[in-house]
């Protein structure tokens, strides 16, 4: 996979302010405000920063947490990192291609994986199949 590398200035030009804050500065959008919280249509979710294919609607579920949630990710597309910020021990989910912050991974998801990828809507672009 060819990595996408841009300077902070270049990302600022490419992304809108909210996307920049989440993808490049690891901000979290407010719960229940994101565009894709309740999306149930069939399709794919791509990185809003670089277009990398990240998630499928087939693994999306309603976690009632206020963010789009998936029980699996496109394995080659995401990277997991230890995140000890804000006094919590969490696992950060990052786009492998552009390094953009997507959200966090938790162990309270449904079968078959038991995982919950809790992802910011603004970090995603949905395309219907
Ligand atoms: Fe990306």
């Amino acid at each position: 996979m060819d990595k996408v590398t841009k300077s902070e200035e270049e990302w600022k030009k490419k992304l809108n302010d909210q996307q920049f804050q989440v993808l490049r500065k690891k901000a979290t959008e407010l719960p229940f405000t994101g565009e894709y919280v309740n999306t149930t249509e069939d399709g794919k979710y791509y990185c809003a920063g670089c277009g990398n294919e990240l998630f499928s609607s087939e693994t999306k579920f309603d976690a009632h947490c206020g963010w789009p949630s998936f029980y699996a990710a496109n394995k080659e597309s995401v990277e997991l990192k230890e995140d000890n910020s804000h006094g919590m021990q969490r696992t950060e989910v990052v786009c492998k291609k552009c390094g953009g912050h997507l959200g966090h991974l938790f162990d309270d998801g449904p079968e078959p994986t038991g995982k919950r990828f809790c992802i910011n809507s603004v970090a995603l672009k949905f395309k219907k199949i």
Side-chain angles (χ1 to χ4, degrees):
M1 177 190 304
D2 288 334
K3 302 241 178 188
V4 173
T5 321
K6 291 184 194 295
S7 69
E8 184 151 322
E9 281 313 304
E10 288 171 322
W11 280 121
K12 261 186 194 163
K13 271 184 208 157
K14 181 174 168 60
L15 304 173
N16 67 35
D17 188 51
Q18 218 192 353
Q19 289 170 332
F20 181 80
Q21 288 305 324
V22 171
L23 282 163
R24 309 314 310 180
K25 297 291 174 188
K26 305 182 194 294
T28 299
E29 69 194 9
L30 291 172
F32 301 103
T33 62
E35 189 180 353
Y36 302 131
V37 177
N38 298 314
T39 304
T40 55
E41 291 157 292
D42 291 341
K44 304 276 188 195
Y45 293 83
Y46 299 84
C47 176
C50 72
N52 196 10
E53 188 183 319
L54 301 172
F55 301 98
S56 163
S57 59
E58 288 169 26
T59 68
K60 193 174 189 290
F61 68 100
D62 187 0
H64 307 285
C65 65
W67 292 277
S69 300
F70 305 84
Y71 63 72
N74 203 348
K75 250 195 206 128
E76 306 80 47
S77 303
V78 301
E79 207 171 338
L80 302 176
K81 292 184 173 179
E82 198 179 310
D83 175 9
N84 295 318
S85 65
H86 305 291
M88 291 179 271
Q89 286 193 333
R90 293 182 295 175
T91 302
E92 182 189 7
V93 183
V94 173
C95 172
K96 223 179 212 177
K97 194 167 178 180
C98 72
H101 171 81
L102 304 172
H104 289 91
L105 176 64
F106 300 96
D107 289 321
D108 56 8
E111 294 297 320
T113 63
K115 300 287 183 191
R116 171 168 61 102
F117 289 81
C118 183
I119 305 298
N120 291 282
S121 287
V122 296
L124 300 172
K125 280 273 181 248
F126 176 68
K127 282 184 201 155
K128 276 191 226 179
I129 290 178

